[in-house]
């Protein structure tokens, strides 16, 4: 690529950015850089000092480093490591401790000298922390400084645990964690109240002293803060933006995390683009929203001032372009998500066959009603054969307190029921005794996990009964990848894919709805979607005849929504239908009030759903379309 063209593409970026199609490829690229650094220092017979990070972003990176060690002989014998941070207080044996994380994912699988591993100690008395932090800084200096520092980025721009407002001159220290950070990290703990309020972290000055820095970010949930860090002003209110001042820092992103960068969001500002209908829709919608005008009111001056003069030159007068985009948006709105008999070709879903067989995949036992509850009810009420497939048990999202509440009911029922079952009574005693002695951060026993899964299964059945779905059309898949008993899940495996293929072959659907929201904080949605993609791919390669007449629609989950320009089908809801959806969400009582894994959003799921659906409706109205109470958005995916 010519230098001039490259400079134009990344002209708005103040930090070098490397973008990869997915986290796996990005992780491999980062691992190769680390491997090159290790080998170069080993060739010089010198230690290689690595600054390491934790969190879900790093799991694939460490897995690739372990693979390189086992299969390609990458040695860590010369490595000296310093971890960014650790919760405080926390015992090293706690599953959530970063000491455990690092040993679980990297250290116990490679040939590193344990004496060369440095992780802040969350066990020390507070009176010893100041000296401990000073010693940590001294150890970094004694090792010769950090050669390569690996970072992730928080939703508020923190690096390490340096929250917004941290001084650029800060060193390793004890720090208060903001509530947003604690909520975002709650997925690692049984409930938000268990997340420590303090942490030990390297300071910004410590991080910026590294000779080279790699920052990794995956998923659309990080896209906005990545843009602020890369293209925004340098400010301590966005700690990651301070990396603009580092002489050798690179951001490694997947496509989703890069979507807010100017090169992706407004590529016409960085060079020539191919003006496809999708690109035109994106440009005109963004222009209308930014200028706060209905689409049909945009003028030639608006196009010129927004940097779209090339579009005018290619397509002609603004009014003609406005009409095309207006019709695109108008035609994606439908009250018939399964297709309407006799509808025009512009309808988002084909009218035939009628009625359709539909599979609605729900990663957790409540994503169906939260994300597309109005559409779910419409599909059933309009006569389609709707099958709901709950992909995982969702057991880790049930609090111990909620289990005890059910135990109280079960014991009370048995005390008044004739012929009480001794086996069930024994199981109740076992669970109650286990929870009574369960240590903080301890993993659940298989029996407790089964009970928590049963609670969520009963809630999901209640929702399906509320919608009116026959029992035979409700499927609990319990995909094996999820059943680790921990927050961290296994990769998808052949058993997950075979179970999904079996269900699809049984139903032979005309429509598949699946969760395309990859901002789920513990990654379950991403794995569930990958399993569906792989199952469909294998069925297509095997010649499944029904696939050619099947369409895949992606909904977003509880954390995000499709933007207007991404939406291929929008299903409206009346105020009454919004209330019906809320009642369906309320069936999931274990997820109300305190959301165990809510990410960086403190609202309950029903609040998120209602506000998100209303916001989508308001955006369409702002663009000049009919105003509805709420809209659920979907994107068609070609497979």
């Amino acid at each position: 690529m010519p230098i001039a063209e490259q400079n134009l593409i990344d002209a708005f970026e103040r930090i070098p950015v490397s973008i990869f199609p997915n986290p796996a490829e990005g992780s491999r690229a980062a691992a190769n850089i680390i491997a090159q650094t290790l080998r170069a220092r080993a060739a010089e017979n010198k230690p290689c000092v690595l600054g390491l990070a934790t969190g879900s972003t790093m799991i694939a990176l460490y897995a690739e480093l372990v693979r390189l060690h086992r299969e390609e002989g990458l040695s860590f014998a010369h490595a000296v490591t310093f971890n960014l941070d650790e919760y405080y207080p926390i015992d090293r044996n706690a599953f959530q401790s970063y000491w455990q994380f690092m040993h679980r994912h990297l250290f116990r699988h490679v040939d590193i000298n344990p004496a060369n591993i440095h992780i802040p100690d969350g066990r020390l008395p507070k009176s010893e922390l100041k000296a401990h932090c000073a010693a940590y800084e001294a150890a970094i200096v004694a090792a010769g400084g950090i050669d390569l520092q690996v970072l992730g980025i928080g939703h508020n721009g923190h690096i390490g645990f340096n929250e917004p407002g941290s001084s650029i001159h800060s060193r390793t220290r004890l720090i208060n964690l903001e509530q947003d950070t604690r909520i975002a990290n709650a997925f690692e703990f049984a409930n938000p109240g268990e997340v420590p309020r303090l942490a030990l972290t390297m300071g910004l000055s410590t991080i910026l002293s590294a000779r080279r820095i790699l920052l990794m970010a995956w998923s659309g949930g990080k896209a906005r803060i990545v843009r602020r860090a890369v293209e925004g002003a340098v400010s301590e209110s966005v700690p990651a933006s301070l990396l603009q001042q580092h002489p050798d820092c690179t951001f490694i992103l997947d496509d989703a995390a890069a979507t807010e960068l100017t090169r992706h969001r407004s590529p016409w500002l960085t060079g020539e683009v191919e003006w496809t209908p999708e690109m035109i829709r994106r440009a005109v919608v963004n222009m209308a929203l930014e200028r706060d005008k209905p689409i049909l009111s945009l003028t030639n001056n608006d196009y010129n001032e927004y940097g779209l003069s090339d579009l005018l030159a290619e397509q002609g007068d603004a009014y003609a372009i406005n009409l095309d985009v207006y019709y695109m948006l108008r035609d994606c709105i439908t009250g018939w998500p399964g297709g309407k008999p006799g509808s025009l070709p512009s309808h988002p879903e084909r009218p035939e066959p009628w009625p359709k067989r539909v599979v609605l995949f729900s990663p957790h036992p409540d994503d169906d009603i939260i994300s597309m509850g109005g559409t779910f009810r419409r599909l059933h009420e309009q006569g389609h054969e709707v099958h709901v497939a709950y992909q995982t048990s969702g057991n880790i999202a049930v609090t111990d307190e909620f289990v005890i509440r059910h135990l109280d009911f079960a014991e009370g029922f048995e005390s008044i029921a004739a012929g009480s079952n001794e086996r069930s009574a024994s199981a109740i005693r076992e669970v109650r005794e286990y929870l009574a002695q369960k240590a903080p951060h301890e993993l659940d026993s298989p029996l407790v996990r089964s009970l928590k899964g049963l609670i969520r299964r009963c809630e999901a059945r209640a929702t399906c009964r509320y919608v009116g779905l026959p029992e035979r059309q409700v499927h609990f898949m319990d995909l094996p990848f999820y059943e680790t008993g921990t927050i961290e899940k296994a990769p998808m495996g052949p058993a997950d894919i075979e179970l999904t293929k079996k269900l699809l072959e049984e139903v032979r659907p005309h429509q598949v709805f699946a969760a395309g929201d990859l901002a789920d904080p513990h990654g379950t949605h991403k794995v569930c979607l990958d399993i569906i993609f792989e199952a469909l791919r294998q069925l297509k390669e095997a010649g499944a005849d029904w696939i050619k007449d099947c369409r895949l629609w992606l909904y977003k989950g509880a954390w995000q929504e499709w933007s207007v320009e991404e939406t291929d089908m929008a299903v409206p809801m009346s105020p009454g239908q919004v209330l019906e959806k809320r009642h369906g969400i309320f069936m999931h009582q274990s997820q109300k009030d305190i959301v165990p894994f809510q990410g960086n959003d403190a609202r309950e799921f029903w609040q998120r759903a209602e506000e998100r659906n209303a916001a989508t409706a308001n955006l369409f109205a702002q663009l000049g379309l009919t105003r509805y109470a709420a809209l659920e958005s979907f994107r068609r995916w070609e497979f």
Side-chain angles (χ1 to χ4, degrees):
M1 179 179 291
I3 293 176
E5 184 180 350
Q6 176 63 34
N7 287 342
L8 188 59
I9 288 173
D10 62 7
F12 291 83
E13 297 162 16
R14 302 172 181 178
I15 297 175
V17 173
S18 296
I19 302 172
F20 296 87
N22 52 60
E25 292 190 32
S27 297
R28 282 194 291 271
N32 285 333
I33 292 171
I34 294 171
Q36 291 167 10
T37 307
L38 282 165
R39 287 170 175 145
R41 298 294 283 176
E44 299 170 356
N45 199 29
K46 293 180 179 178
C48 179
V49 185
L50 299 175
L52 300 179
T54 52
S56 57
T57 301
M58 302 297 152
I59 292 175
L61 169 68
Y62 295 148
E64 177 63 11
L65 288 173
V66 171
R67 188 198 68 79
L68 289 171
H69 169 69
R70 289 175 173 171
E71 299 179 12
E72 300 183 21
L74 177 65
S75 176
F76 287 76
H78 287 78
V80 179
T81 66
F82 290 87
N83 261 74
L84 275 170
D85 43 31
E86 177 62 283
Y87 290 117
Y88 184 84
I90 197 165
D91 191 270
R92 282 185 171 175
N93 292 325
F95 182 86
Q96 297 84 352
S97 76
Y98 292 158
W99 193 95
Q100 280 285 341
F101 179 98
M102 291 304 305
H103 285 76
R104 187 164 63 246
H105 289 288
L106 181 63
F107 293 150
R108 70 176 58 150
H109 308 291
V110 297
D111 59 338
I112 190 169
N113 182 346
N116 289 341
I117 297 171
H118 302 83
I119 302 173
D121 195 341
R123 305 169 300 174
L124 297 173
K126 190 172 284 190
S127 60
E128 298 179 17
L129 292 183
K130 190 171 183 179
H132 174 64
C133 292
Y136 204 76
E137 289 283 334
I140 294 173
V141 173
I146 293 173
D147 294 306
L148 176 60
Q149 175 68 60
V150 179
L151 299 173
I153 183 171
H155 287 89
N156 61 3
H158 71 248
I159 49 177
F161 272 132
N162 293 284
E163 299 284 20
S166 295
S167 169
I168 192 172
H169 304 294
S170 58
R171 294 284 183 178
T172 302
R173 68 204 186 284
L174 182 68
I175 191 170
N176 268 308
L177 297 181
E178 288 192 357
Q179 182 65 8
D180 285 350
T181 299
R182 295 182 65 245
I183 290 172
N185 288 359
F187 72 92
E188 300 172 330
F189 295 84
N191 63 69
E194 291 188 8
V195 183
R197 298 178 182 277
L198 302 170
L200 294 163
T201 185
M202 283 189 197
L204 292 172
S205 179
T206 315
I207 293 169
L208 291 169
S209 297
R211 284 180 275 279
R212 187 175 186 184
I213 296 175
L214 298 179
L215 186 146
M216 300 162 59
W218 318 135
S219 86
K222 296 293 179 69
R224 291 184 184 275
I225 196 62
V226 163
R227 182 182 184 184
R228 291 183 67 189
V230 171
E231 297 185 357
V234 174
S235 170
E236 290 176 342
S237 64
V238 181
S241 69
L242 299 172
L243 297 172
Q244 294 179 25
Q245 300 178 343
H246 193 274
D248 191 359
C249 175
T250 301
F251 276 40
I252 296 179
L253 313 175
D254 68 350
D255 281 336
T259 52
E260 290 291 325
L261 295 177
T262 300
R263 69 161 88 176
H264 283 286
R265 186 168 181 79
S266 305
W268 50 88
L269 298 177
T270 63
E272 292 185 7
V273 299
E274 180 184 356
W275 287 111
T276 63
E278 292 75 19
M279 185 66 73
I280 293 172
R281 180 172 67 167
R282 186 202 305 183
V284 173
V285 166
N286 287 335
M287 171 173 53
L289 292 174
E290 186 168 312
R291 302 182 83 81
D292 196 20
K293 281 187 172 185
I295 287 173
L296 294 179
S297 297
L298 294 168
T299 67
N300 285 358
N301 283 340
D302 291 318
Y303 278 73
N304 288 323
E305 292 174 6
Y306 196 67
L308 294 175
S309 57
D310 288 350
L311 176 58
L312 277 181
E314 182 174 316
Q315 299 288 324
D317 185 71
Y319 189 68
I321 304 172
N322 295 345
L323 277 176
D324 286 343
V325 175
Y326 179 85
Y327 292 148
M328 287 182 203
L329 297 180
R330 181 200 64 184
D331 292 343
C332 80
I333 300 174
T334 179
W336 296 79
K340 184 177 182 180
S343 61
L344 297 173
S346 58
H347 194 278
E349 189 41 276
R350 64 216 186 281
E352 302 296 337
W354 182 275
K356 291 182 174 65
R357 293 185 299 275
V358 180
V359 173
L360 195 175
F361 283 105
S362 181
H364 301 98
D366 56 358
D367 288 307
D368 54 335
I369 193 70
I370 290 171
S371 304
M372 53 173 291
T375 304
F376 180 7
R377 290 180 66 93
R378 273 240 175 94
L379 287 165
H380 173 67
E381 291 167 356
Q382 289 172 356
H384 301 288
E385 182 186 315
V386 181
H387 293 256
V388 179
Y390 296 105
Q391 294 174 275
T392 73
S393 67
N395 53 27
I396 62 168
V398 179
T399 64
D400 295 347
E401 185 278 330
F402 204 83
V403 174
I404 293 170
R405 194 185 310 176
H406 278 258
L407 293 178
D408 290 340
F409 170 83
E411 286 185 338
F413 178 82
E414 286 196 345
S415 69
I416 61 175
S420 64
N421 187 301
E422 179 59 33
R423 181 181 173 187
S424 64
S426 174
I428 289 172
R429 284 196 299 272
E430 179 182 337
V431 171
R432 190 179 287 280
E433 290 170 2
Y434 178 86
L435 293 179
Q437 58 80 43
K438 180 181 172 184
H441 317 318
E442 185 177 353
L443 303 182
D444 287 331
S445 68
L447 181 58
V448 171
R449 294 204 307 272
S450 296
L451 183 55
K452 289 182 175 181
L454 177 61
I455 289 171
R456 299 214 64 184
R457 181 176 290 208
C458 291
E459 292 172 343
R461 287 189 190 279
T463 296
C464 291
R465 284 195 299 271
Y466 176 69
V467 172
L469 221 59
E471 182 75 17
R472 67 180 180 278
Q473 290 166 216
V474 182
H475 309 269
F476 295 95
M477 302 181 72
D478 291 335
L479 294 178
F481 86 88
Y482 185 87
E483 299 303 326
T484 62
T486 70
I487 305 302
E488 294 172 11
K489 304 307 174 192
M492 72 173 180
D496 303 304
I497 297 164
E498 288 304 315
L499 285 168
T500 304
K501 288 166 59 178
K502 182 174 184 291
L503 175 64
L504 288 168
E505 285 278 49
E506 288 174 359
V507 178
R508 299 169 64 86
H510 304 104
Q511 281 184 312
V512 171
F513 289 86
D517 178 1
L518 306 184
D520 160 35
H522 44 71
T524 300
H525 285 206
K526 176 66 167 63
V527 181
C528 285
L529 186 61
D530 287 343
I531 290 167
I532 295 168
F533 283 164
E534 182 60 20
L536 288 169
R537 187 191 67 78
Q538 291 186 16
L539 288 168
K540 185 176 181 179
E541 284 190 354
D545 58 347
W546 56 268
I547 277 208
K548 65 180 181 296
D549 200 30
C550 178
R551 289 187 179 180
L552 173 59
W553 293 95
L554 300 184
Y555 60 85
K556 286 289 184 89
W559 293 274
Q560 289 181 324
E561 185 58 283
W562 295 113
S563 64
V564 173
E565 67 266 23
E566 294 173 310
T567 298
D568 294 319
M569 180 164 65
V571 181
M573 291 187 289
S574 68
Q577 290 166 329
V578 171
L579 190 59
E580 288 174 350
K581 176 175 176 175
R582 183 193 301 180
H583 290 160
I585 297 173
F586 281 179
M587 299 290 178
H588 295 270
Q589 285 294 306
S590 69
Q591 305 302 293
K592 270 190 57 56
D593 302 327
I594 296 178
V595 183
F597 302 112
Q598 57 194 352
N600 62 336
D601 191 333
R603 296 171 298 170
E604 291 188 44
F605 287 131
W606 69 270
Q607 294 171 313
R608 302 185 203 185
E610 288 189 13
E611 292 176 25
R612 191 182 68 228
N613 296 157
T616 300
N618 288 336
L619 286 174
F620 272 82
Q622 185 179 336
L623 293 168
L625 283 299
T626 303
R627 181 175 293 278
Y628 294 97
L631 284 170
E632 292 178 334
S633 295
F634 302 87
R635 184 167 179 81
R636 186 177 168 191
W637 195 266
E638 300 290 345
F639 62 88

